[in-house]
Amino acid sequence: LTFGIASGMIVPYFNVYFTQALHVSVLEVGLASAVAGAVMMVGFVLTPYITSKIGKIRCACLTKVIAAPFLMVMAFTQSFLVAAGAYVAYMFFINMAGPATTSFQMERLKPHEQGFAVGMMMTGSYVAVSASTYISGVLISHGNYILPFIATCAAYLLTAFLPAASSKIDAGF
């Protein structure tokens, strides 16, 4: 849910942010998105190697933590080049977390539980994305781009630190 909230707050509005807040052309936004897509593919290829070295949960948590500051750079810069660079780095790191998380989740479930679990996780995520996209849309329509970036960053950090908190709670019982 927290990852869905984070994703819905700003991800659907990156193009609006670039064109409205930084006043760049659609062509420049498309170029930044194309570079981010290419870099994301590199991240997907590197994820199995990184998870083999540090583990799936550490990889998922670490990449979320590393991605968060790039959102803040985007929020506070007036330079398209700086924002585009931060966007590419953010997309690289945040999208590495997904495969590591999904792989870990599937390992923990029995095969007959996987379909239902994936359906429930997707439902929860999309409900959270929908709600946060609406809230963020209201804020952005009034010219407030910074609060959605900050909320997204906070939600990603919360998502990254929840596994550590959960393991401490489990260890106490």
Side-chain angles (χ1 to χ4, degrees), residues 23-107:
H23 311 289
V24 299
S25 71
V26 173
L27 178 63
E28 291 166 308
V29 175
L31 182 60
S33 294
V35 171
V39 170
M40 278 177 18
M41 287 188 294
V42 172
F44 290 146
V45 171
L46 291 176
T47 300
Y49 174 77
I50 294 169
T51 60
S52 73
K53 297 295 181 192
I54 66 172
K56 292 176 176 96
I57 294 299
R58 281 192 182 105
C59 177
C61 294
L62 184 63
T63 56
K64 289 172 190 165
V65 169
I66 293 170
F70 292 107
L71 284 171
M72 301 316 308
V73 168
M74 288 178 65
F76 291 106
T77 188
Q78 296 298 310
S79 165
F80 172 67
L81 289 177
V82 171
Y87 172 69
V88 169
Y90 159 78
M91 294 298 280
F92 174 78
F93 288 112
I94 204 65
N95 284 292
M96 289 177 78
T101 302
T102 302
S103 178
F104 176 79
Q105 290 166 336
M106 293 302 108
E107 285 177 356

Side-chain angles (χ1 to χ4, degrees), residues 131-155:
S132 62
T133 298
Y134 174 75
I135 292 166
S136 186
V138 170
L139 292 168
I140 290 170
S141 71
H142 289 92
N144 187 343
Y145 292 93
I146 292 179
L147 188 56
F149 274 101
I150 292 170
T152 299
C153 184

